[in-house]
């Protein structure tokens, strides 16, 4: 599996992903908003987050480029808004890599099952690089 680039935006992700789809003449992007998540009784989603893009992906000349708006209140620095996504069908490999990358770094979301992945986690490594590790289902 390849390592994919993740681009983060500050509220204008929908506009950006649609723009890049036109520029690179890709298929129309599927866009998942934060408000599309199943409701969580332990956490109410802020109104200003509901229409922001949680995830979208374009295949540009054979490379997956993924897109997301940062969650309201999260830090955003133009120019530093890039992360890497490691996607694999091997859950044990995901766990090993996550545990190695978190050494000296900070975990944003521990590995766990989500509605989109059997095993997903998010962290920033000791060099300040953000990683998302996710199981790809069949």
């Amino acid at each position: 599996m390849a390592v994919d680039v993740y681009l983060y935006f500050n509220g204008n992700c929908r506009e950006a992903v649609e723009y890049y789809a036109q520029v690179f003449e890709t298929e129309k992007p599927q866009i998942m908003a934060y408000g599309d998540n199943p409701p969580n009784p332990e956490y109410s989603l802020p109104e200003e987050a509901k229409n922001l893009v949680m995830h979208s992906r374009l295949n540009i000349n054979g490379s997956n480029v993924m897109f997301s708006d940062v969650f309201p209140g999260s830090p955003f620095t133009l120019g530093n808004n890039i992360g890497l996504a490691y996607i694999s069908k091997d859950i044990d490999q995901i766990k090993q890599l996550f545990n190695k990358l978190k050494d000296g770094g900070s975990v944003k979301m521990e590995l766990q099952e989500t509605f989109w992945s059997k095993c997903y986690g998010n962290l920033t490594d000791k060099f300040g690089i953000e990683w998302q590790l996710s199981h790809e289902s069949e």
Side-chain angles (χ1 to χ4, degrees):
M1 292 267 135
V3 173
D4 296 331
V5 175
Y6 223 115
L7 303 176
Y8 302 103
F9 296 85
N10 198 23
N12 60 343
C13 183
R14 189 177 304 270
E15 176 185 358
V17 74
E18 289 173 352
Y19 169 77
Y20 292 124
Q22 288 180 344
V23 168
F24 293 103
E25 299 178 358
T26 69
E27 292 182 14
K28 183 177 177 176
Q30 293 183 344
I31 296 175
M32 179 189 306
Y34 285 103
D36 295 337
N37 285 318
N40 181 345
E42 297 175 17
Y43 179 76
S44 62
L45 188 65
E47 194 62 38
E48 65 270 22
K50 290 183 179 176
N51 290 320
L52 293 177
V53 175
M54 183 176 126
H55 177 77
S56 188
R57 176 176 56 196
L58 296 176
N59 187 285
I60 299 173
N61 197 29
S63 294
N64 286 323
V65 179
M66 296 185 285
F67 301 81
S68 179
D69 278 311
V70 295
F71 199 77
S74 297
F76 177 84
T77 304
L78 190 60
N80 289 343
N81 51 323
I82 297 174
L84 299 173
Y86 184 88
I87 300 163
S88 174
K89 293 179 180 176
D90 185 340
I91 290 178
D92 290 332
Q93 182 183 46
I94 291 168
K95 290 177 181 178
Q96 286 178 337
L97 291 171
F98 189 88
N99 288 327
K100 288 178 183 179
L101 287 167
K102 77 178 186 179
D103 185 31
S106 62
V107 174
K108 293 184 176 183
M109 184 175 176
E110 284 288 348
L111 286 175
Q112 59 191 270
E113 186 169 342
T114 65
F115 73 92
W116 69 85
S117 174
K118 289 182 181 179
C119 184
Y120 172 85
N122 182 301
L123 60 84
T124 301
D125 70 18
K126 66 182 178 181
F127 297 105
I129 304 300
E130 182 170 332
W131 290 88
Q132 296 184 52
L133 290 90
S134 187
H135 176 260
E136 180 177 60
S137 61
E138 300 304 320

